[in-house]
Amino acid sequence: MPETEEELLDAFLDLLGEVAPDTEEEVDAFLRASGYDPEELTAQAESTFKEALETSPLDWRNRARQELSVAKKRMTQQGSKTRRSREENIAAIQMLQQRYGQAMAAHFRNSDLDNISDEDLESIREEYEFLQADDEDTPTEND
């Protein structure tokens, strides 16, 4: 341990004078000489980094999964408990498409409402209602 500033400066200069390993083989040799197993260190690092990436709130994929999960839960809780007739579902979908324009209609733009199952109509109506309710809850730029 350096005890004076001069000894600290000498230790620092010695450290700067050492040549760092350039190749993977030199790094492995240095690690082995220092008592480490490079394969074991690599495995530990990969495990640590993988876990960190999978749980990081900064990773957009994790945020997207979490937001999707929250939206699905809200949609399930908000879902209509009463079944509607085919005609009521079609009328509700068309009314919501007209009210909210192309942005919402684009979500199901390829759906032929007359030729899909009653369950799909019910699902589309519930999704439209959820999107409409979610849109009303979202603050605008002026809020």
Side-chain angles (χ1 to χ4, degrees):
M1 217 38 205
E3 294 182 10
T4 67
E5 290 180 9
E6 186 177 336
E7 289 175 358
L8 179 61
L9 181 59
D10 288 342
F12 186 69
L13 291 173
D14 288 343
L15 180 64
L16 288 177
E18 291 183 17
V19 177
D22 288 328
T23 66
E24 188 173 334
E25 291 79 20
E26 289 176 348
V27 171
D28 284 352
F30 173 78
L31 289 172
R32 288 186 196 288
S34 300
Y36 295 102
D37 178 10
E39 290 81 20
E40 186 179 320
L41 288 176
T42 300
Q44 288 175 352
E46 286 176 356
S47 173
T48 301
F49 295 143
K50 182 179 179 184
E51 182 180 338
L53 285 173
E54 289 174 352
T55 60
S56 172
L58 302 177
D59 185 341
W60 67 269
R61 291 170 288 233
N62 295 335
R63 285 195 314 268
R65 274 187 224 108
Q66 185 177 21
E67 290 170 8
L68 183 60
S69 175
V70 168
K72 283 180 180 180
K73 183 185 262 185
R74 283 184 43 222
M75 188 171 164
T76 301
Q77 291 171 347
Q78 181 179 325
S80 176
K81 304 297 183 226
T82 59
R83 304 242 336 138
R84 296 185 188 176
S85 71
R86 179 176 192 82
E87 293 74 25
E88 290 173 322
N89 281 324
I90 290 174
I93 292 168
Q94 290 172 339
M95 185 266 307
L96 287 164
Q97 284 176 336
Q98 288 174 352
R99 184 186 304 166
Y100 293 99
Q102 293 302 317
M104 193 172 275
H107 187 64
F108 293 102
R109 67 185 175 280
N110 295 325
S111 297
D112 180 6
L113 300 179
D114 294 324
N115 294 318
I116 61 175
S117 70
D118 291 344
E119 291 80 18
D120 287 341
L121 279 174
E122 189 85 24
S123 176
I124 289 172
R125 180 190 49 77
E126 287 175 354
E127 287 184 35
Y128 266 129
E129 289 173 348
F130 174 78
L131 290 171
Q132 174 256 328
D134 191 48
D135 190 44
E136 289 175 356
D137 291 343
T138 303
T140 62
E141 287 182 21
N142 297 331
D143 288 347

